[in-house]
């Protein structure tokens, strides 16, 4: 309980009833799905009629919806046992799991809990003087619940990286599906045009089982896509991704891939051991027969700014509903309705939420809308076109970092304002949300103090350019892969060298990220795969190959946690 992963548990009578029926189906061999009887945790921004849905906010602390979210209904129809609602950053605003009315979420790793790694060279003991590291956000509760064995899989939501970020920091697989692949009915809105339900699990195979249950068009959600847009085989044998079950299948898939390495993700502030893992996986893919090529996404450096403006604009619009009249916290006031609105919102919403609402309303003012919101929409279109250009030129999947640095102490999140830290943490993840593309975070290792001095030296010596240059010899003469032959407006050419010179937009050297390169051993490292729209299944297959090839040390949980 002291990891604080759950806000509420399902009623005991409900759990007992679900467990008894699942056991009966197990005994009689009539399972509803591979998830029948399996414990699942759901982020507390999905509506449930049998438990409060708080969004980790004082505003909704006592709110119980009258209906269940579509994905909750589908999980229960598949026999899954939802054990409770997971903690989160308030209304999904945050990247550390530290901004919750119910307190911060603590990462399992280096927490002092009795676990071990299959490779004994990594440290697992508690940090000094009760220190701990963050879980990532905003779906940190679901991530910690899965990592600590409280649940088999977790349901989260991803607006700018809120599934992939905690998956990366907690050593899990985190999938943000293509926009519209999973219905949002019953998911309390943050940013409608970017919100995506997401899945957290320990393996890509587990994610695939969850996706097979959750996929499908929902008539109540106008953005929901059917199987024609998101192809997915539902037969049980087709939902097994293990190369041991189907020898050579995944290897054949990887050997024909064209893997793009975007230069713009290679920015100052990237942790040296993440850089090292990035290079190592690129080598593994190359050795397996994949063609690894540098690519350019010129407008990626503008993604965090674009995301920040559009996020706050939609937040300002969505949060007009929280007045305390129809639902939520209501403060007593006899002066006027406007005064009651103000008092209720002032009491019910945290400063983090108020800041975003205020910023969004500023961007939407008549005098500002054209300079901010409309300009951000234009940049969003350019970011989408960058991805389209790369994928249309033969690249099958992009390989990038998920986060700039591993999990950090909560002090980093308390000394800087939420907006700036979220800006840094969403640097690698928000572009996929802006473009509506599927993205997968896959664990690739753990931090090791023995590597710190070596990797830091390589980083300081400027060898962080090696990913751009490493495979240039094999791609010369095919400039369409790694450079833009012309801009969207038909202007001059933009090659990857020019883009590297323009990376001042991504320069984080002046940002206050003290403690990011902290040298703490035994913390998870992850990388991200981004694919064209509708290739969710293919990303999981590639991720499954990555997991089996890298042989990342296994976490061994020990009772009692």
């Amino acid at each position: 309980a002291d990891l604080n992963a759950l806000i509420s548990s399902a009623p005991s009578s409900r759990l007992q009833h679900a467990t008894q029926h699942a056991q009966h189906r197990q005994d009689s061999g009539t399972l509803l799905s591979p998830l029948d009887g399996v414990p699942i945790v759901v982020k507390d921004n999905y509506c449930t009629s049998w438990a409060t849905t708080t969004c980790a906010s004082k505003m909704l602390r006592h709110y119980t919806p009258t209906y269940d979210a579509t994905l909750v209904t589908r999980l229960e129809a598949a026999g899954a046992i939802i054990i409770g609602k997971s903690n989160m950053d308030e209304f999904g605003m945050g990247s550390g799991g530290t901004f919750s009315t119910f307190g911060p979420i603590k990462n399992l790793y280096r927490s002092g809990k009795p676990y071990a790694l299959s490779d004994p060279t990594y440290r697992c003991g508690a940090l000094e003087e009760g220190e701990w590291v963050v879980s990532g956000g905003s779906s940190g509760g679901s991530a910690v619940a899965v990592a600590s064995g409280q649940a088999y899989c977790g349901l989260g939501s991803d607006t700018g990286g809120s599934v992939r970020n905690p998956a990366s920091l907690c050593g899990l697989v985190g999938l943000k599906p293509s926009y519209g692949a999973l219905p949002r009915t019953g998911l309390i809105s943050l940013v409608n045009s970017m919100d995506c339900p997401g899945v957290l699990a320990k393996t890509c195979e587990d994610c695939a089982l969850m996706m097979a249950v959750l996929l499908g068009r929902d008539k109540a959600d106008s953005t929901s896509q059917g199987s024609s847009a998101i192809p997915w085989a539902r037969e049980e044998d087709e939902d097994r991704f293990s190369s041991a079950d189907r020898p050579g299948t995944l290897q054949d898939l990887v050997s024909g891939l064209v893997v793009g390495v975007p230069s713009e993700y290679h920015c100052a502030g990237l942790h040296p051991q993440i850089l090292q893992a990035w290079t190592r996986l690129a080598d593994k893919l190359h050795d397996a027969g994949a063609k690894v090529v540098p690519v350019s996404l010129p407008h990626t450096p503008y993604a965090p700014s674009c995301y920040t403006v559009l996020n706050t604009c939609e937040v300002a619009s969505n949060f007009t509903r929280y007045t305390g009249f129809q639902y939520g916290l209501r403060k007593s006031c006899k002066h006027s309705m406007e005064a009651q609105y103000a008092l209720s919102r002032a009491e019910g919403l945290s400063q983090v939420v108020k800041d975003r609402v205020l910023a969004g309303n500023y961007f939407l003012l008549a005098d500002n809308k054209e300079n901010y919101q409309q300009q951000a929409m234009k940049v969003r279109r350019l970011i989408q076109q960058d991805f389209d250009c790369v994928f249309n030129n033969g690249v099958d999947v992009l390989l990038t970092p998920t986060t700039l640095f591993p999990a950090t102490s909560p002090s980093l999140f308390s000394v800087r304002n939420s907006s700036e830290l979220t800006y840094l943490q969403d640097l690698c993840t928000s572009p996929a949300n802006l473009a509506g593309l599927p993205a997968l975070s896959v664990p690739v290792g753990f931090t090791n103090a023995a590597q710190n001095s070596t990797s830091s030296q390589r980083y300081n010596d400027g060898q962080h350019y090696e990913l751009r240059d490493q495979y240039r010899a094999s791609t010369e003469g095919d400039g369409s892969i790694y450079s833009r032959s012309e801009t969207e407006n038909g202007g001059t050419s933009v090659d990857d060298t020019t883009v590297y010179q323009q990376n001042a937009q991504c320069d984080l050297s002046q940002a206050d990220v003290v403690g990011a390169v902290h040298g703490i051993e035994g913390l998870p490292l992850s990388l991200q795969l981004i694919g064209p729209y509708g290739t969710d299944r293919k990303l999981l297959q590639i991720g499954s190959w990555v997991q089996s090839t890298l042989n990342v040390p296994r976490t061994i949980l020990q009772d009692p946690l």
Side-chain angles (χ1 to χ4, degrees), residues 254 279-290 471 545 549-550:
V254 171
T279 305
R280 185 169 59 249
L281 181 54
D283 288 340
K284 292 282 188 181
L285 287 164
H286 181 265
D287 294 342
Y471 302 102
W545 178 90
T549 301
L550 294 183

Side-chain angles (χ1 to χ4, degrees), residues 516-555:
V517 186
H518 44 54
I520 299 177
E521 299 177 67
L523 297 181
L525 298 170
S526 296
L527 295 174
Q528 178 179 225
L529 298 169
I530 304 174
Y533 188 88
T535 59
D536 307 55
R537 174 181 169 83
K538 186 175 182 178
L539 284 186
L540 286 171
Q541 290 175 317
I542 299 170
S544 184
W545 178 90
V546 170
Q547 285 192 291
S548 62
T549 301
L550 294 183
N551 195 24
V552 176
R554 193 165 41 88
T555 302

Side-chain angles (χ1 to χ4, degrees), residues 219-243:
K219 294 181 179 179
D221 179 7
S222 61
T223 65
S224 177
Q225 300 293 319
S227 58
S228 58
I230 315 292
W232 196 277
R234 291 187 174 277
E235 295 80 4
E236 184 177 353
D237 62 334
E238 287 297 315
D239 284 325
R240 298 188 185 277
F241 285 70
S242 173
S243 56

Side-chain angles (χ1 to χ4, degrees), residues 64-186:
T64 302
T66 58
Y67 68 102
D68 293 332
T70 296
L71 296 185
V72 171
T73 301
R74 289 180 180 177
L75 283 171
E76 293 186 327
I81 300 176
I82 299 177
I83 63 170
K85 310 292 288 295
S86 63
N87 204 353
M88 56 183 286
D89 287 295
E90 183 174 357
F91 284 107
M93 300 185 194
S95 59
T98 57
F99 300 113
S100 168
T101 300
F102 300 92
I105 310 157
K106 298 181 181 180
N107 202 320
L108 169 69
Y109 292 97
R110 305 304 305 274
S111 64
K113 297 297 180 184
Y115 72 92
L117 293 175
S118 56
D119 185 344
T121 61
Y122 296 98
R123 295 183 62 181
C124 301
L127 298 174
E128 296 179 359
E129 300 179 358
E131 286 290 323
W132 51 280
V133 295
V134 299
S135 63
S138 62
S139 305
S142 291
V144 171
V146 175
S148 60
Q150 298 176 63
Y152 178 75
C153 292
L155 190 60
S157 62
D158 192 309
T159 306
S162 292
V163 163
R164 289 160 289 159
N165 180 296
S168 174
L169 271 53
C170 293
L172 301 175
V173 174
L175 174 66
K176 183 208 87 70
S178 302
Y179 183 78
L182 301 183
R184 295 184 295 117
T185 307

